[in-house]
């Protein structure tokens, strides 16, 4: 079976974006998006774990018994999370500090478990790696966008660079996290809906044009 | 809306000439004494906050409707002054010393996010003015409630310590009850002069817009629970009902039509719970918390409406009907 990488990429980043469309992994989304830098750090960590665990689960999918698959998945994911933690602790202690508790919590992150369950355990390793990569990119983009929005409004800076003194602390608080999340889901839903309808209209026009052509050809 | 009549009740129907616009205009009138006393007490700064808040509330509603492609003439025809009420109420519970952008941003947040996004007048889940104030509190807390946040009335002397209510909550220093009643204390623009608020409330009661029972229940329960929390010292009764924003919240905010239960017993439960929540939160949080209490209880209103339903006339409960057989 040929793998449709374009579809996997579109799924991961837009059509089933893990944060805004599947609404998975809300805990780090709400807690860590106070700063844009956190989003990138968390996104990179999750992407790494996602790719590796997807590949391993995909390779082992015929060996793991169906009844104990969840513990097996968690074991594989936990291994990679531990690797990420140790590496970050050694080489990037500032990011390790700012992510704090949410780094070990990647083990139970819904995105990774959901992709393992619904994609990696049914597809080959290459497709699973691509799925992990694009899901990770979608997650990173979502977190970074939300983080930048909240950082600009809530702290008056972006990526740690000070813009102005004016700040609305509401957006830095947890109430602002929920508010921003809802706002982004709404805007993202609107954009993807518009794209979807445009795509549909285009496909419909193509189809009608084709049928019209064939009809005229038949008539001639 | 005004020209779209829907009847949900059974006949006979009485035809009145009340409309949303008239009710809202009456509420504006009732708020006038509080606005005037606020301006007298806190000077031109208070007037600026009131004008900015009201203007941005009205403007944001009109701009939102224009973005939603509603023709301007129709907007003007259907304009029901509820956003003006929101803007005025929001200004009432801000300090006169705030920066100019605090009322503007809070009013925009209150009208756009809380009211218009949920579908306009009568569709809001929580009271817009209260949410605007909570937004201001969470966003600009340091500016609003830090040092130099409140001015003494008349003299304009900037207060560096706590306001009357926070003084009561923290140290147990008793403020003068007469000063609290007349408004000779530091505080937000509209909440200090209780006489003006009561006058506005009485006007609403006389015009049949406000049911006098609900504010009375709310205020009385808050006072009694405060007394109970302070080991039944009845000296706490008057300061706790006259202090802070309780009077403003009880008369103008908690009684908003949209965010109160439909039934009488539902209303009783709502206001009793509201009073208890206010007093308990005040006692433990040590800050003025009326707005948070009202916001919290507003969110419980759909639940109360679901649990407490009016019994139709002649209805017998299923269990009793079985016994009768």
């Amino acid at each position: 079976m040929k793998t449709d990488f374009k579809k996997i990429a579109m799924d991961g980043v837009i059509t089933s974006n893990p944060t805004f469309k599947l609404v998975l992994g809300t805990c780090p989304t709400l807690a860590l998006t106070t700063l844009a830098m956190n989003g990138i750090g968390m996104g990179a960590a999750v992407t790494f774990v996602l790719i590796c665990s997807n590949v391993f689960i995909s390779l082992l999918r015929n060996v793991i018994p169906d009844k104990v698959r969840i513990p097996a998945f968690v074991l594989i994911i936990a291994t990679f999370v531990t690797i990420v933690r140790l590496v970050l602790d050694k080489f990037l202690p500032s990011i390790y500090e700012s992510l704090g508790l949410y780094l070990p919590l990647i083990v139970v992150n819904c995105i990774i478990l959901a992709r393992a369950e619904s994609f990696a355990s049914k597809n080959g390793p290459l497709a699973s790696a691509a799925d992990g990569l694009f899901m990770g990119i979608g997650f990173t983009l979502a977190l970074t966008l939300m983080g930048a929005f909240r950082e600009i409004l809530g702290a008056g800076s972006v990526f740690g660079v000070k813009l102005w003194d004016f700040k609305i602390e509401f957006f830095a608080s947890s109430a602002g996290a929920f508010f921003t999340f809802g706002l982004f889901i709404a805007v993202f839903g609107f954009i993807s809906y518009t794209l979807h309808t445009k795509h549909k209209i285009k496909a419909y026009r193509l189809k009608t044009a084709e049928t019209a052509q064939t009809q005229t050809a038949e008539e001639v | 809306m005004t020209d779209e009549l829907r009847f949900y009740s059974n006949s006979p129907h009485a035809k009145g000439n009340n409309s949303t616009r008239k009710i809202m205009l009456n509420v504006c009138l009732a708020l006038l004494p509080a606005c005037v006393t606020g301006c007298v007490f806190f000077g031109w700064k208070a007037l600026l906050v009131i004008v900015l808040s009201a203007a941005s509330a009205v403007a944001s509603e009109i701009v939102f409707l224009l973005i939603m492609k509603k023709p301007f003439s129709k907007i003007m025809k259907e304009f029901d002054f509820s956003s003006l009420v929101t803007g005025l109420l929001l200004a009432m519970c801000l300090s006169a010393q705030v920066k100019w952008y605090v009322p503007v941003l809070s009013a925009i947040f209150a009208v756009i996010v809380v009211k218009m996004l949920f579908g306009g007048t009568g569709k809001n889940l929580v009271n817009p003015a209260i949410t605007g104030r909570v937004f201001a509190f969470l966003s600009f807390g340091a500016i609003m409630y830090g040092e130099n946040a409140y001015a003494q009335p008349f003299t304009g002397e900037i207060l560096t310590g706590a306001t009357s209510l926070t003084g009561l909550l923290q140290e147990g220093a008793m403020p003068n009850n007469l000063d609290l009643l007349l408004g000779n204390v530091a505080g937000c623009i509209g909440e200090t002069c209780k006489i003006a608020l009561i006058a506005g409330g009485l006007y609403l009661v006389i015009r049949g817009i406000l049911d006098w029972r609900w504010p009375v229940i709310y205020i009385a329960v808050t006072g009694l629970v405060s007394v109970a929390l302070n080991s039944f010292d009845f000296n706490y009764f008057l300061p706790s009902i006259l202090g802070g924003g309780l009077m403003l919240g009880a008369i103008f905010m908690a009684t908003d039509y949209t965010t109160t239960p439909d039934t009488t017993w539902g209303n009783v439960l709502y206001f009793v719970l509201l009073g208890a929540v206010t007093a308990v939160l005040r006692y433990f949080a040590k800050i003025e918390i009326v707005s948070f209490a009202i916001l919290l209880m507003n969110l419980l209103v759909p639940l109360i409406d679901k649990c407490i339903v009016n019994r139709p006339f002649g209805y017998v409960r299923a269990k009793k009907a079985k016994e009768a057989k």
Side-chain angles (χ1 to χ4, degrees):
Chain A
M1 197 183 84
K2 200 171 162 283
T3 326
D4 189 356
F5 285 105
K6 199 182 157 196
K7 191 179 171 292
I8 292 175
M10 281 295 282
D11 268 355
V13 183
I14 296 170
T15 16
S16 51
N17 183 301
T19 311
F20 296 142
K21 278 283 173 155
L22 306 178
V23 200
L24 292 173
T26 12
C27 183
T29 310
L30 292 170
L32 283 176
T33 48
T34 43
L35 301 170
M37 209 53 220
N38 279 354
I40 290 186
M42 186 70 188
V46 167
T47 311
F48 173 75
V49 176
L50 201 48
I51 295 172
C52 296
S53 69
N54 261 9
V55 169
F56 265 72
I57 288 162
S58 171
L59 284 173
L60 296 173
R61 70 185 189 278
N62 296 325
V63 185
I64 297 171
D66 210 31
K67 278 185 183 166
V68 291
R69 64 183 192 285
I70 298 291
F73 292 168
V74 171
L75 200 66
I76 293 170
I77 295 164
T79 313
F80 290 109
V81 172
T82 314
I83 294 173
V84 168
R85 279 188 66 196
L86 293 176
V87 169
L88 279 183
D89 195 12
K90 171 79 181 159
F91 295 106
L92 292 165
S94 65
I95 289 188
Y96 181 78
E97 286 280 307
S98 67
L99 296 184
L101 180 66
Y102 294 95
L103 208 49
L105 277 180
I106 295 177
V107 176
V108 284
N109 194 313
C110 316
I111 299 172
I112 296 165
L113 217 52
R115 291 330 283 176
E117 175 82 12
S118 69
F119 197 93
S121 57
K122 288 169 193 153
N123 289 285
L126 202 60
S128 301
D131 180 71
L133 175 67
F134 287 111
M135 278 285 160
I137 290 175
F139 183 68
T140 314
L141 273 180
L143 249 66
T144 314
L145 278 178
M146 270 182 72
F149 181 82
R150 284 182 66 196
E151 199 182 342
I152 290 172
L153 287 176
S157 61
V158 64
F159 290 107
V161 182
K162 189 117 190 122
L163 297 177
W164 48 69
D165 275 335
F166 174 76
K167 54 184 173 184
I168 307 173
E169 279 160 36
F170 171 74
F171 287 100
S173 67
S174 46
F178 281 99
F179 181 74
T180 316
F181 195 28
L183 205 69
F184 268 77
I185 290 178
V187 171
F188 199 85
F190 177 73
I191 292 172
S192 68
Y193 176 77
T194 327
L195 284 178
H196 183 68
T197 32
K198 264 191 184 158
H199 187 72
K200 256 192 163 174
I201 289 168
K202 210 176 153 190
Y204 179 73
R205 278 199 188 132
L206 271 176
K207 205 179 157 193
T208 45
E210 265 175 26
T211 44
Q213 267 183 0
T214 47
Q215 270 177 1
T216 45
E218 276 169 12
E219 277 166 20
V220 169
Chain B
M1 295 297 175
T2 44
D3 50 6
E4 194 182 327
L5 292 170
R6 290 186 189 145
F7 294 112
Y8 289 110
S9 60
N10 292 324
S11 58
H13 300 301
K15 193 176 185 316
N17 58 353
N18 245 354
S19 65
T20 316
R21 180 188 284 219
K22 271 187 188 160
I23 290 174
M24 289 301 162
L25 268 177
N26 272 323
V27 176
C28 288
L29 272 181
L31 275 170
L32 259 186
C35 290
V36 171
T37 48
C39 292
V40 170
F41 285 174
F42 298 109
W44 60 270
K45 276 185 178 169
L47 185 67
L48 187 71
V49 170
I50 293 173
V51 169
L52 275 176
S53 168
S56 41
V58 173
S60 52
E61 181 180 357
I62 291 174
V63 168
F64 183 90
L65 288 174
L66 282 177
I67 292 173
M68 298 308 283
K69 294 182 184 136
K70 204 169 189 182
F72 190 70
S73 55
K74 208 176 172 196
I75 297 174
M76 282 295 111
K77 212 181 120 199
E78 285 182 0
F79 184 69
D80 56 11
F81 292 95
S82 61
S83 54
L84 182 64
V85 171
T86 300
L88 285 178
L89 275 177
L90 177 65
M92 293 294 98
C93 49
L94 291 175
S95 161
Q97 306 294 315
V98 291
K99 296 253 170 37
W100 63 270
Y101 52 78
V102 175
V104 173
L105 285 177
S106 310
I108 291 173
F109 184 87
V111 171
I112 300 276
V113 175
V114 184
K115 201 176 85 177
M116 300 318 287
L117 283 186
F118 281 91
T121 313
K123 303 269 173 43
N124 45 316
L125 192 64
V126 293
N127 188 315
I130 283 286
T131 323
R133 179 193 145 103
V134 169
F135 174 78
F137 181 84
L138 290 178
S139 302
F140 312 106
I143 306 167
M144 276 178 80
Y145 298 95
E147 287 193 349
N148 306 344
Y150 294 106
Q152 280 287 13
F154 300 119
T155 55
E157 183 192 338
I158 302 285
L159 206 72
T160 44
T163 65
S164 56
L165 186 81
T166 45
L168 169 75
L169 291 172
Q170 280 165 352
E171 293 139 26
M174 285 290 170
N176 187 343
N177 285 337
L178 192 67
D179 275 352
L180 279 178
L181 187 66
L182 292 175
N184 189 19
V185 285
C188 298
I189 294 169
E191 70 178 23
T192 51
C193 184
K194 305 299 177 305
I195 298 271
L197 288 172
I198 294 170
L202 278 178
Y203 173 76
L204 288 183
V205 169
I206 289 166
R207 296 304 296 251
I209 292 168
L210 182 69
D211 192 335
W212 62 271
R213 288 173 294 179
W214 311 133
V216 169
I217 289 182
Y218 179 19
I219 293 169
V221 170
T222 309
L224 290 176
V225 176
S226 300
V227 166
L229 284 172
N230 287 302
S231 54
F232 292 97
D233 183 355
F234 273 87
N235 288 332
Y236 276 89
F237 187 74
L238 275 179
S240 59
I241 68 168
L242 289 175
L246 178 63
M247 208 65 99
L248 179 69
I251 293 173
F252 289 103
M253 288 169 168
T255 51
D256 181 357
Y257 283 167
T258 323
T259 53
T260 44
D262 295 333
T263 54
T264 312
W265 286 108
N267 265 317
V268 171
L269 177 68
Y270 171 75
F271 283 101
V272 168
L273 270 178
L274 190 55
V277 166
T278 307
V280 171
L281 284 183
R282 257 184 183 179
Y283 182 74
F284 288 106
K286 307 282 183 204
I287 53 169
E288 178 52 345
I289 206 92
V290 169
S291 50
F292 283 89
I294 295 177
L295 194 60
L296 189 69
M297 287 308 295
N298 276 345
L299 292 172
L300 283 184
V301 166
L303 187 67
I304 295 176
D305 266 343
K306 203 161 186 175
C307 293
I308 300 184
V309 198
N310 260 350
R311 204 168 63 169
F313 180 68
Y315 173 81
V316 188
R317 276 188 197 169
K319 202 176 162 191
K320 280 184 185 168
K322 224 180 239 173
E323 278 169 10
K325 274 178 192 173

